[in-house]
Amino acid sequence: MRNLKDNQSPVVKIQRRTNNLMLITWVINNICTNACEYCPTSLHNGSNHNYEWSNAKQFWQTLLSKYDKLQVAISGGEPTLSPFLLDFCKMIHDAGNKVGITTNLARTSRYMQSLAPYLAYCSASYHPSYEDKDFLEKALSIANITPINLRVMMDGRFWDKGLKFLESCKPHKNITVEAVKVLKWTKRGKGHHYTEEQLKWFKEYTSTTGIERTNELGVKTYFTQKIDDRSDIHFADGEVINSYGREQELINAGKSNFKGWKCNLGLESFFIQWSGKVYLANCMQEGAIGDINKPDQIIWPTSSVICKRNRCHCASDVLITKEKI
């Protein structure tokens, strides 16, 4: 299977494969059971919600009426602390759409089992600085209901705990696990300092668990999300490559500078901040178009815009239909 980075000619167009598909990222709250020191305080040091559920529900019902298909990625804060998360996921699922969450699995196994049937995927983060001894049990309790990927935050201060947890995951083949390198997101961030031996470990590490699958393109995968966010990548030499979840390759290869291109942000994507502010995409270009607490005042976009960013660094934004002018 040819890698995106192997084609040395420039990208000239990206075309979403599914028409009228709206991808939405929602930071549902900024309250969390943890206070990890590598995480921005704004994501764990606030209130649960900054809007009324009745207003948010009206906003989502408007989206359901405007678009054929919605795919919603929910994060926080800790999304399972939201009292209306279950109702929301059920509403999106029952309308024939898809929703997935990024969570610390803060709630009980019983709660997660009630939520899982409505999820297209669950991405669960394990934080050794706030160790939950029931974390793996909770993950396994929903592994046969929805795809679940465990992201182990390899905090340099709690290295042995991270290694021990990775080892405990090895016998379980119905989950996938990845070791996540902690990055310095804030000036006061901690956990990102590593020894030379630890850095060497990262280079040698590969996913240790998961059922190996081969998708329709012949690419081996370990985590199959029940979503469809693929786009076709068009190169100047005429080659077209299906992204199939490999858009990160395009970013890593330095081919995601779309400044000056015509882009369908706002027509194929939205980003909702924990404050309730609504943006056209994760890049927040053009500023907020409204607030989900005031759904009647949102200025819905009607046309594509010209990209102003030097680099598209978000995988979801890369997938938006865009074309070089």
Side-chain angles (χ1 to χ4, degrees), residues 25-57:
T25 301
W26 188 13
V27 183
I28 197 171
N29 59 13
N30 65 336
I31 190 172
C32 188
T33 51
N34 300 342
C36 301
E37 293 177 287
Y38 40 75
C39 182
T41 56
S42 62
L43 294 182
H44 63 232
N45 190 25
S47 57
N48 203 344
H49 298 121
N50 293 277
Y51 38 82
E52 297 294 330
W53 168 229
S54 58
N55 292 332
K57 188 175 181 180

Side-chain angles (χ1 to χ4, degrees), residues 2 12 27 40 87-88 92 119 183 193 220 223 263 297:
R2 183 177 174 87
V12 295
V27 183
D87 289 341
F88 171 76
I92 298 298
L119 299 179
L183 302 177
H193 295 292
K220 290 184 178 180
F223 181 46
C263 181
Q297 298 180 24

